[in-house]
């Protein structure tokens, strides 16, 4: 699914003052991201506060974003229930989305065989490209490289978002899977290192604020100008880390609000960034002339 491109943004969900989904602002933000280099959007993923969105809100978001942007939309629909995941997938399909992001089931802690069966059953229930999402820091279970290899042989499982933070595991996924199976890092700070070991791109949070610079970094690497790519990597290192100083998406929503892009606060159990966190993020942003 190379049509998804190399710089996918996991988009935040804007809320109004009542913490209702601001669909108009979501469309505006989506178009801004595309203008700055985003090649596809993940909607209602971790960064989009998917766990606190209702099924109806997710469906409305999928439909409105898909209707109003020019790049592929990948719907975050995974849950810790296989049946619910399939139900969510079918609702997303009705909106004409271009792919599904399916996270490893959280809390249940399935073993590797159970993980394989979960994804296999979901994949067989829908006819649409699927990106696996491995984020053990949030789910409590890790999709091992052997399981990724097995899953990559299923026709419509076409990509992986590897957010374990483990470059060795990402390397194993690249090594074990076919060339047309695309491995993306889910860690902004590992974008350049991941490209160097064969990853296709990144599913990014930082692209909300430094999308054009990340695009330049990726393109520089692809053109063989590793010196320029490395220079940009080090320029962005502080903001990459700063946007994860506390739980995502707390920092990135604070950053966007500081830039005048009104995305509102967060739904509980997440709460808005404290003044000390905002000050740290702002310090990193000033170095890049973002505020």
């Amino acid at each position: 699914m190379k049509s998804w491109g190399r710089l996918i943004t996991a988009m935040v969900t804007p809320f109004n003052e009542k913490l209702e989904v601001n669909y108009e602002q979501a469309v505006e933000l989506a178009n801004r991201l595309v203008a700055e280099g985003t090649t596809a959007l993940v909607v209602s993923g971790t960064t989009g506060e998917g766990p606190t969105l209702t099924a109806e809100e997710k469906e409305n978001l999928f439909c409105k974003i898909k209707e109003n942007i020019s790049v592929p939309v990948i719907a975050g629909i995974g849950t810790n229930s296989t049946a619910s995941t399939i139900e969510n997938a079918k609702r997303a399909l009705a909106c004409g989305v271009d792919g599904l992001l399916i996270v490893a089931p959280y809390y249940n802690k399935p073993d590797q065989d159970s993980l394989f069966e979960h994804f296999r059953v979901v994949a067989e229930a829908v006819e649409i490209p699927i990106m696996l999402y491995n984020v053990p820091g949030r789910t409590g279970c890790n999709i091992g490289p052997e399981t990724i290899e097995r899953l990559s042989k299923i026709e419509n499982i076409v990509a992986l978002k590897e957010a374990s933070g483990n470059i060795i595991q990402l390397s194993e996924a690249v090594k074990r899977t076919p060339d047309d199976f695309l491995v993306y890092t889910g860690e902004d700070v590992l974008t350049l290192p991941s490209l160097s070991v064969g990853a296709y791109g990144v599913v990014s949070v930082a692209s909300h604020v430094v999308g054009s610079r990340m695009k330049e970094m990726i393109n520089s690497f692809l053109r063989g100008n590793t010196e320029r790519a490395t220079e940009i990597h080090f320029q962005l290192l502080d903001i990459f880390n700063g946007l994860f100083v506390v739980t995502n998406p707390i920092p990135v929503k604070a950053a966007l609000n500081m830039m005048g892009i009104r995305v509102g606060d967060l739904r509980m159990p997440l709460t808005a960034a404290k003044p000390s966190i905002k000050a740290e993020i702002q310090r990193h942003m000033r170095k890049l002339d973002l505020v």
Side-chain angles (χ1 to χ4, degrees), residues 51-115:
T52 57
L53 297 176
T54 68
E56 183 179 4
E57 287 172 332
K58 290 178 184 181
E59 187 173 0
N60 288 339
L61 266 176
F62 299 150
C63 290
K64 290 185 183 296
I65 299 297
K66 179 60 184 173
E67 289 168 1
N68 288 282
I69 67 165
S70 58
V71 302
V73 173
I74 303 167
I77 53 87
T79 74
N80 64 339
S81 160
T82 305
S84 295
T85 299
I86 292 171
E87 181 180 341
N88 290 346
K90 291 180 177 178
R91 293 181 72 136
L93 281 171
C95 294
V97 299
D98 304 280
L100 304 176
L101 178 74
I102 304 181
V103 70
Y106 41 86
Y107 187 76
N108 310 40
K109 295 192 73 172
D111 62 20
Q112 295 302 305
D113 286 337
S114 298
L115 284 168

Side-chain angles (χ1 to χ4, degrees), residues 34 37 42 54 75 77 79 81 89-90 94 97 111 124 131 140 156 159 162-163 221 254 257 286:
V34 172
V42 168
T54 68
I77 53 87
T79 74
S81 160
K90 291 180 177 178
V97 299
D111 62 20
E124 289 182 355
M131 177 185 284
N156 60 327
E162 175 54 61
F221 175 83
N257 286 324
R286 281 178 174 156

